[in-house]
Amino acid sequence: MNEIAIGVEALTEQQVLAVARHDARVRLSEEARKAIGASRDIIEALAGDPEPHYGISTGFGALATKQIAPADRVALQRSLIRSHAAGSGPEVEREVVRALMLLRLSTLATGRTGVRLETAETYAAMLNAGITPVVYEFGSLGCSGDLAPLAHCALAAMGEGTVRVGDEVLPAADALAAAGITPVVLREKEGLALTNGVDGMLGMLTLATHDLALLFRTADLAAAMSVEAQLGTDAVFAADLQALRPHPGQADSAANLRALLAGSAIMASHRTGDCTRVQDAYSLRCSPQVHGAGRDTLAHARLVRDRELASAVDNPVVTLDGRVESNGNFHGAPVGYVLDFLAVVAADLASIAERRTDRFLDKARNHGLPPFLADDPGVDSGYMIAQYTQAAQVSELKRLAVPASVDSIPSSAMQEDHVSMGWSAARKLRRAVDALTQVLAIEILTAARALDLRSPLTPAPATAAARDALREQVAGPGPDRYLAPDIAATVELVRSGRLVAAAEAVCGPLN
């Protein structure tokens, strides 16, 4: 996607990714331009009304009862943005800010917010010029919108504050001038329209659902490699057994495991009367149940995401029949809940992966492999500390799984007395997705080593393809080799999807 038309309809996950991560250009559709113009006419008419209208001729929040004279309304909007641009802490990632700006632009394009066309066009121009406002970690309670993050974006559109262009931090005024963009002077209602939305948390949810979909396939690949290299059985993944508990995610995961393990000489080697094992450990046998429950949770999160992408969130909002009405649609609870659910899933997926990994390292449980998969046990500690690194990430993931959305804290002189903390849930989930990626990478690295040690028995064609793709970047253990670069290289292979793609080239698309 080189260019995306922003219209009155919902954006898709792929469109958000194209703009946030791949710098696709945006333009407002003709339909969006007409909708923006029509709703602005309504706001202009109300601006001249002697009756007060919230956000048009009044103050904001707990100051909504104060009427503002026409001569002061430009100053009111400017002051709103300046006062709300009060974030602090570490800088938020570029892809998150671009997703946030795109989603706010998408809401502006619905014609439900009452902004002027030039204001929406300024956001589009900034995205196309690669101008990314500097947004900070703290400043959103997930209610009345992601206020401080959105305000920092609006501040940059006004030619104030700081932005990033490439790796350089610049005054917004300089960056806009260099790109030929005229700073916007906000009019009635526009300050509210640029800050009342859940765009930050929704942007992070959209990025996370995409990343987790790949990580679920990666988790099935890692589990297949572990089951195979630990001389487990694939009989428990049979379709008729899985159908006894008809969860769709479980069925998909089990189908993946069957496809990945098909044709394994290692598996065939112990399907004889000489094998005395009756059942595999839960971490092997129950992989579809755990991975599947996570998949079903992801499916629910995607449903919420798509509903939010189709939403027009603002307060007040311009209705289709021309009313301007206050509402509570800016509350982030629907998004905050699923962000927290996904953090729980990430923690549990990592937990079961770490348990599968640990079994490789214990001579009493690894079925004939050397202790810690070492070249020379005792002289060489093998993968002992790689599992420590995994365990540290799993422990961190458990802390990140504590829900943010139950931690409401009142603000704005008790006007905003129940908030969602959805932004905080989103920030936690980003860290959780990264930690899960690292945990799965270490399992795959360890399982690939174990598959090598099962030689001359050969793994399944699909798992062998993934292992071989790994070996193109990671040579394997040796007396003079550090594990840290191997882990880092494997993490990048997992993140890029190359290992899953290598397996899918053999066994077909995974669910």
Side-chain angles (χ1 to χ4, degrees):
M1 297 183 186
N2 295 321
E3 185 178 71
I4 293 169
I6 309 297
V8 298
E9 67 282 348
L11 291 173
T12 67
E13 175 192 276
Q14 291 304 317
Q15 288 174 322
V16 175
L17 289 165
V19 175
R21 288 184 171 166
H22 306 297
D23 291 350
R25 294 180 62 82
V26 300
R27 61 177 174 83
L28 290 167
S29 72
E30 189 58 36
E31 186 180 13
R33 290 170 172 273
K34 290 178 180 177
I36 291 170
S39 67
R40 186 61 199 178
D41 289 344
I42 295 169
I43 298 301
E44 296 284 358
L46 291 176
D49 191 338
E51 291 295 317
H53 297 278
Y54 177 66
I56 299 171
S57 54
T58 72
F60 309 111
L63 302 176
T65 56
K66 181 175 176 58
Q67 190 160 358
I68 307 299
D72 295 329
R73 290 176 190 170
V74 168
L76 170 69
Q77 303 298 319
R78 182 173 62 242
S79 175
L80 171 72
I81 299 303
R82 286 175 174 173
S83 66
H84 283 39
S88 68
E91 188 176 337
V92 171
E93 303 83 2
R94 181 178 187 268
E95 66 176 26
V96 172
V97 180
R98 286 183 62 82
L100 178 156
M101 291 187 68
L102 172 68
L103 293 171
R104 186 68 334 215
L105 176 60
S106 179
T107 290
L108 301 182
T110 65
R112 306 277 64 81
T113 70
V115 300
R116 293 168 301 147
L117 180 59
E118 52 261 48
T119 301
E121 286 180 327
T122 300
Y123 269 51
M126 290 172 66
L127 285 166
N128 291 339
I131 297 172
T132 306
V134 173
V135 171
Y136 301 97
E137 179 88 11
F138 299 102
S140 172
L141 301 182
C143 202
S144 290
D146 290 318
L147 288 177
L150 283 162
H152 280 282
C153 294
L155 190 70
M158 290 163 50
E160 302 181 22
T162 55
V163 299
R164 277 193 178 274
V165 180
D167 294 329
E168 191 175 3
V169 176
L170 298 169
D174 294 348
L176 294 180
I181 301 171
T182 301
V184 67
V185 179
L186 300 180
R187 297 279 300 277
E188 292 90 349
K189 175 69 174 62
E190 292 189 307
L192 281 178
L194 296 181
T195 55
N196 261 280
V198 297
D199 308 287
M201 64 182 87
L202 178 57
M204 287 184 274
L205 174 62
T206 304
L207 296 170
T209 52
H210 173 269
D211 294 343
L212 283 168
L214 172 60
L215 288 177
F216 277 114
R217 301 200 302 279
T218 305
D220 288 340
L221 171 61
M225 294 172 72
S226 291
V227 168
E228 186 176 26
Q230 292 178 33
L231 305 183
T233 178
D234 58 353
V236 295
F237 307 140
D240 61 341
L241 294 177
Q242 300 299 318
L244 296 173
R245 197 181 193 189
H247 293 288
Q250 178 178 328
D252 286 345
S253 180
N256 286 347
L257 288 164
R258 292 194 301 271
L260 289 162
L261 292 169
S264 168
I266 296 176
M267 302 288 288
S269 72
H270 57 92
R271 288 195 186 107
T272 68
D274 297 332
C275 182
T276 59
R277 294 173 64 186
V278 177
Q279 293 182 336
D280 291 327
Y282 286 6
S283 60
L284 304 178
R285 192 182 355 148
C286 301
S287 292
Q289 286 75 16
V290 175
H291 296 186
R295 286 168 176 270
D296 292 340
T297 304
L298 177 61
H300 172 63
R302 282 173 150 171
L303 177 64
V304 172
R305 177 203 68 196
D306 290 345
R307 288 170 176 165
E308 288 292 323
L309 288 173
S311 300
V313 175
D314 193 14
N315 182 50
V317 67
V318 182
T319 65
L320 287 171
D321 60 1
R323 303 181 341 267
V324 177
E325 298 283 1
S326 292
N327 64 89
N329 286 335
F330 48 73
H331 200 288
V335 184
Y337 292 165
V338 294
L339 288 163
D340 279 334
F341 296 164
L342 291 176
V344 171
V345 166
D348 203 40
L349 243 66
S351 178
I352 196 171
E354 183 274 329
R355 287 294 83 203
R356 291 190 297 256
T357 305
D358 182 68
R359 298 186 71 81
F360 281 119
L361 309 183
D362 183 355
K363 184 172 176 56
R365 294 181 293 147
N366 67 14
H367 304 285
L369 297 172
F372 302 103
L373 306 186
D375 281 334
D376 185 2
V379 174
D380 176 8
S381 296
Y383 284 65
M384 178 193 295
I385 307 305
Q387 185 268 332
Y388 277 42
T389 300
Q390 234 190 1
Q393 293 280 15
V394 170
S395 184
E396 176 67 11
L397 277 158
K398 291 174 183 177
R399 289 187 287 273
L400 293 171
V402 175
S405 54
V406 299
D407 189 30
S408 175
I409 187 167
S411 58
S412 191
M414 294 299 287
Q415 175 76 1
E416 299 168 10
D417 59 351
H418 183 82
V419 298
S420 77
M421 301 307 295
W423 172 274
S424 299
R427 299 306 295 165
K428 288 195 306 98
L429 181 58
R430 283 185 67 81
R431 294 195 292 275
V433 168
D434 182 64
L436 175 60
T437 302
Q438 296 182 57
V439 168
L440 292 175
I442 292 173
E443 181 185 4
I444 288 174
L445 184 65
T446 307
R449 165 67 171 159
L451 289 175
D452 290 342
L453 290 169
R454 294 297 182 192
S455 182
L457 294 172
T458 56
T463 57
R467 180 202 59 185
D468 294 344
L470 175 66
R471 289 289 174 246
E472 291 176 6
Q473 300 295 322
V474 176
D480 300 319
R481 188 161 181 83
Y482 298 104
L483 266 177
D486 291 349
I487 293 171
T490 309
V491 167
E492 289 310 308
L493 288 170
V494 167
R495 189 172 283 129
S496 69
R498 286 173 56 188
L499 298 181
V500 168
E504 290 180 322
V506 175
C507 70
L510 298 176
N511 296 307

